[in-house]
Amino acid sequence: MSKALKLTGVRAGYGPTVVIEDVDLELSEHGSLAVLGRNGVGKTTLLATIMGHTTFHAGNIEYHEQPITRIPVYERARRGIGYVPQTREVFPSLTVEENLRVAALPGRWTVERVYELFPRLAERRRHMGNQISGGEQQMLAIGRALMGSPSLLLLDEPLEGLAPIIVDVLLKVVQRLIREETLALILVEQSAKLALSVTDESLVLNRGRVIHHGPSAELLADPSRLTNLVLAG
């Protein structure tokens, strides 16, 4: 199976500071990957590097077997990489629907499809971005990323700080995207068990380096190993 994403020897960070070092990973076209580790080990930096938001020091990034290491952020988005950062970055002065339409690119995702995925957004389509709850803002951030019809979706801690009922809704959406859509997905999440329960593969970072890469099910079935890996260092 061809690869949606391949990183080889990637070193990146912010300015002269290196945060992730010698990172190798491969993700198949319809694969899903959980990125785990303690706070500050480089998980967010890894996603930001794939999207082009960091200072690149060494290595190579390929997207569908084409090098993207040196191309700008907007071009990566045009080629089909969707990114949902921790900060969500919802436009507060636009309505829910305007937030969606501003990100639209030709493809299989439309406003109507996003509303079908997130009925609560349909109910609040005329509300401004700063008039909806945190959980609804997260739905909107994911929906806006989908409006670009991505073939690779990067989710940075989408469940953080949300009520359990919203977490359940978002987990089901992630599962649906993985199972029903023609995209690959990388999920950064503090709750290792939740992330492992919906993904095929897992990767654990420690001090910016990969210390584990393997099937999610195997790691989920070995709680002591999971704990040791995630708390390593």
Side-chain angles (χ1 to χ4, degrees):
M1 183 179 293
S2 61
K3 302 298 179 183
L5 183 71
K6 182 178 180 180
L7 275 64
T8 307
V10 169
R11 298 177 71 244
Y14 305 95
T17 303
V18 174
V19 178
I20 58 172
E21 191 160 3
D22 297 327
V23 171
D24 297 336
L25 72 84
E26 293 186 357
L27 184 64
S28 63
E29 280 191 353
H30 304 148
S32 55
L33 176 72
V35 178
L36 310 174
R38 296 188 305 172
N39 286 331
V41 299
K43 302 186 302 296
T44 290
T45 301
L46 175 60
L47 294 195
T49 298
I50 294 168
M51 198 65 213
H53 289 298
T54 61
T55 304
F56 203 87
H57 290 276
N60 189 50
I61 303 176
E62 293 182 4
Y63 174 63
H64 291 292
E65 302 180 355
Q66 297 296 315
I68 62 167
T69 307
R70 303 300 175 187
I71 71 172
V73 174
Y74 70 86
E75 182 61 28
R76 300 185 197 205
R78 284 180 180 174
R79 293 192 186 190
I81 302 179
Y83 180 44
V84 181
Q86 281 181 289
T87 50
R88 300 169 188 158
E89 298 181 3
V90 167
F91 297 116
S93 60
L94 298 181
T95 66
V96 166
E97 186 153 319
E98 289 169 340
N99 264 276
L100 294 173
R101 293 194 181 280
V102 75
L105 290 174
R108 62 191 179 279
W109 280 94
T110 63
V111 170
E112 289 71 27
R113 282 198 70 190
V114 171
Y115 286 159
E116 188 273 329
L117 190 66
F118 295 115
R120 291 180 69 155
L121 294 183
E123 297 170 3
R124 290 156 175 76
R125 66 179 70 195
R126 294 184 177 84
H127 286 64
M128 309 304 287
N130 60 1
Q131 294 177 327
I132 58 178
S133 69
E136 291 161 352
Q137 288 184 358
Q138 188 65 71
M139 295 176 192
L140 180 55
I142 294 172
R144 188 175 59 187
L146 291 172
M147 288 294 294
S149 295
S151 60
L152 172 62
L153 184 61
L154 311 175
L155 299 176
D156 193 359
E157 299 202 21
L159 311 179
E160 182 182 18
L162 301 180
I165 189 170
I166 302 299
V167 168
D168 185 59
V169 169
L170 291 177
L171 272 179
K172 289 178 180 177
V173 165
V174 170
Q175 286 179 306
R176 176 175 170 180
L177 291 173
I178 290 170
R179 293 174 182 173
E180 298 181 10
E181 295 300 327
T182 55
L183 54 72
L185 186 146
I186 300 180
L187 172 64
V188 166
E189 178 51 48
Q190 280 298 108
S191 176
K193 291 183 178 179
L194 289 180
L196 293 171
S197 71
V198 297
T199 54
D200 300 320
E201 298 287 324
S202 59
L203 181 146
V204 182
L205 290 175
N206 181 42
R207 299 181 183 178
R209 293 179 179 269
V210 176
I211 60 171
H212 169 82
H213 190 185
S216 293
E218 289 183 8
L219 199 53
L220 188 60
D222 192 345
S224 60
R225 186 180 182 213
L226 173 59
T227 299
N228 289 337
L229 282 171
V230 173
L231 297 180

